[in-house]
Amino acid sequence: MPALCLCYEVHEPYRLCRYTVFDMGQNSLYEDDDHNCDALLLTARTCYLPMNDLLLKLIRRHGKAFKVAFSISGTALDQFEQYAPEVVESFQALADTGNVEFVAETAPHSLAFLYSRDEFDIQVREQCERIKRLFGKKPTTFRNTEFVYNNDLPVALEKLGFKAVLAEGADHVLGWRSPNYVYRPISTPRMRLLLRNSSLSTDIGLRFNDQGWDQWPLTAEKYASWCHSFAASSEIINIFNDYHSFGLRNPRESGIFDFMEALPAALLAHKDFHFVTPAEAARKIDAVGEVDVPEFMSWDDEGRDLTAWLGNDMQKDAIHTLYALAPRVRKVGAPDLARDFERLQTSDHFHYISTKWFADFLSDRPNPFDSPYDAYITYMNVLADFEMRLTAMEEAATEAGKTTRKTPRTTATGTAGKKRAAPAAKAGGAKKKTSA
């Protein structure tokens, strides 16, 4: 009885402004607020609000037979709350149906797992708490940024309490096997691994509006027939896409909303098919075997590797410089610094520096910079100013500590009414605590 699992990435980065060396030390306003606001409002109007309304309509029409999942980044939630709170409300309306699962990821949509496990843990816990606060339930399924995955990831996730993890169904990992089954990570047999069906996902995400595609135009009935053809050789079909596929990457004029409105009925017309959320699939469907992924993979391009973010020396220099600051940032504990530091970890910043893919950005996620070199220079200027702020706070904390230690202590007045010097602390005695 094949299951259908739909999960959508919902992510919006904070784009940087044109930050030059002349701005360093003068202002610490790194983000292009006007651009971010305009982009978010456009996306809300053309994608999030109409698509959420459609999904709510489909849930009311099909009841418990139709289900869906979302992986929403913390930077997307920040911008929803900042610029379009009605988007959060529309996701909450979906959550209230009980037919929607919210999958966890790192709060700033970062590559922290590659460079700092401490930072990764902080960001995942932060995002889980926020998802529970906004949507009422703590996530038990995890999807890493851009589906970056290897054998080490489920080990870390199991310690954080997760039961399932999503990943790309890459051919070089699966070999002759199909992604249309539930698997176990080789490193954590108790967890469940759900793999994306790349072909069926791409048919909607990238090919739907391609008039040069030999299957264009794609109808709900045609797509359902492709899924139904797997009935005898599948237990689950995982269709994972960027939510921008609806209204932005494929505009309304392409017929994408009409396609999605008709799709559930077309899929459910085959009596053996039913929709599940990732958590349900992990709980109800037995794993058929183990998957070994010793090297990192992602869902990007045909190579399914990390070259989109770490393919050249500029990208590596930027990300290594960034994560070298992590222990210092967390030690200082300043909220403003921590917020800026997390937003600087968003993977989009490193994607903009890519030379390999510079001419291949999708229309819904364009590169805001004229070249990868401009993106790199801007990012490093921002990072230099950020480190200046960090160093200043460290020095201020050190000076505050020195001042506190030098302040003489006095006791209450003696019987003669004169103040007496406090006795020196004995070796091993408690020291007075100071805060930065």
Side-chain angles (χ1 to χ4, degrees):
M1 199 172 172
L4 297 156
C5 183
L6 306 180
C7 184
Y8 299 113
E9 173 191 272
V10 179
H11 169 58
E12 298 295 333
Y14 277 95
R15 300 159 189 83
L16 300 178
C17 62
R18 307 286 172 159
Y19 197 85
T20 72
V21 292
F22 302 106
D23 295 307
M24 291 164 52
Q26 302 301 313
N27 78 77
S28 298
L29 303 176
Y30 305 140
E31 294 158 358
D32 189 338
D33 290 337
D34 290 340
H35 189 173
N36 290 327
C37 180
D38 291 345
L40 193 281
L41 292 177
L42 171 65
T43 307
R45 184 174 66 253
T46 59
C47 172
Y48 297 134
L49 293 174
M51 191 59 189
N52 284 359
D53 285 345
L54 174 57
L55 291 178
L56 189 60
K57 178 180 177 180
L58 291 172
I59 289 171
R60 289 170 176 166
R61 179 184 301 170
H62 297 284
K64 295 299 180 183
F66 179 68
K67 298 175 182 179
V68 67
F70 295 102
S71 172
I72 309 181
S73 70
T75 55
L77 290 172
D78 287 343
Q79 292 187 69
F80 294 159
E81 292 176 344
Q82 184 175 2
Y83 302 124
E86 63 272 22
V87 175
V88 176
E89 294 170 2
S90 69
F91 279 112
Q92 288 172 331
L94 287 170
D96 290 342
T97 67
N99 290 30
V100 177
E101 178 184 354
F102 290 89
V103 174
E105 67 161 86
T106 57
H109 200 74
S110 76
L111 299 174
F113 187 75
L114 301 173
Y115 294 96
S116 173
R117 299 298 167 84
D118 290 340
E119 193 68 24
F120 175 79
D121 287 354
I122 290 170
Q123 294 173 13
V124 173
R125 289 193 178 100
E126 174 186 314
Q127 188 68 357
C128 286
E129 291 171 1
R130 190 173 191 182
I131 291 296
K132 183 178 180 180
R133 184 172 68 252
L134 286 174
F135 306 115
K137 193 171 182 180
K138 183 178 180 180
T140 60
T141 305
F142 185 83
R143 184 200 76 99
N144 201 14
T145 301
E146 307 300 335
F147 281 90
V148 171
Y149 177 92
N150 80 341
N151 289 335
D152 296 332
L153 180 62
V155 176
L157 295 177
E158 191 172 50
K159 294 177 181 176
L160 292 169
F162 290 98
K163 306 298 182 184
V165 57
L166 312 184
E168 176 66 22
D171 290 339
H172 72 273
V173 168
L174 286 172
W176 57 268
R177 293 179 295 179
S178 167
N180 300 335
Y181 292 91
V182 174
Y183 291 93
R184 295 185 302 272
I186 195 171
S187 51
T188 50
R190 290 178 297 182
M191 286 195 72
R192 294 295 176 261
L193 177 62
L194 305 183
L195 298 174
R196 176 178 182 255
N197 186 306
S198 303
S199 178
L200 288 172
S201 298
T202 305
D203 288 338
I204 296 175
L206 293 178
R207 289 191 279 263
F208 184 86
N209 196 35
D210 181 4
Q211 298 186 23
W213 181 32
D214 60 1
Q215 296 297 328
W216 186 88
L218 180 61
T219 65
E221 292 73 23
K222 183 190 294 187
Y223 189 83
S225 71
W226 295 345
C227 294
H228 293 160
S229 69
F230 291 110
S233 59
S234 300
E235 290 187 347
I236 184 168
I237 299 174
N238 299 306
I239 301 168
F240 304 154
N241 278 319
D242 189 328
Y243 210 35
H244 280 195
S245 300
F246 306 105
L248 280 176
R249 191 169 301 170
N250 300 304
R252 179 178 288 277
E253 296 75 29
S254 70
I256 189 66
F257 289 100
D258 295 333
F259 169 85
M260 280 303 299
E261 182 169 5
L263 186 60
L267 289 167
L268 293 170
H270 193 303
K271 62 182 178 59
D272 290 336
F273 278 73
H274 64 289
F275 285 89
V276 295
T277 63
E280 285 179 325
R283 187 172 62 252
K284 296 179 179 180
I285 303 176
D286 293 333
V288 299
E290 295 179 334
V291 173
D292 184 12
V293 188
E295 303 296 330
F296 281 107
M297 67 176 183
S298 75
W299 71 346
D300 192 77
D301 195 60
E302 295 180 359
R304 303 294 189 254
D305 54 24
L306 306 185
T307 53
W309 307 277
L310 301 171
N312 64 50
D313 289 340
M314 293 186 297
Q315 291 170 303
K316 293 172 184 176
D317 179 45
I319 202 164
H320 289 154
T321 303
L322 172 72
Y323 279 104
L325 301 176
R328 295 170 58 191
V329 173
R330 296 303 177 183
K331 184 177 180 180
V332 167
D336 288 350
L337 272 182
R339 180 204 62 201
D340 290 349
F341 183 64
E342 288 200 357
R343 289 182 183 176
L344 286 172
Q345 294 180 53
T346 299
S347 64
D348 301 67
H349 298 311
F350 310 106
H351 198 189
Y352 298 148
I353 304 173
S354 173
T355 50
K356 185 176 181 180
W357 307 117
F358 180 71
D360 198 31
F361 277 84
L362 295 168
S363 59
D364 59 300
R365 296 194 181 279
N367 192 329
F369 296 97
D370 296 330
S371 75
Y373 310 101
D374 290 338
Y376 171 70
I377 291 169
T378 295
Y379 187 84
M380 296 306 286
N381 286 342
V382 167
L383 209 54
D385 182 82
F386 177 84
E387 187 171 10
M388 290 168 59
R389 291 167 56 204
L390 174 59
T391 300
M393 287 194 177
E394 289 171 329
E395 291 174 350
T398 300
E399 286 301 315
K402 289 179 180 178
T403 301
T404 302
R405 287 193 296 272
K406 290 179 179 178
T407 301
R409 293 181 296 174
T410 59
T411 64
T413 56
T415 54
K418 296 181 179 180
K419 292 183 179 180
R420 294 178 291 131
K426 294 182 180 179
K431 294 182 179 179
K432 184 177 181 182
K433 293 183 179 179
T434 60
S435 58

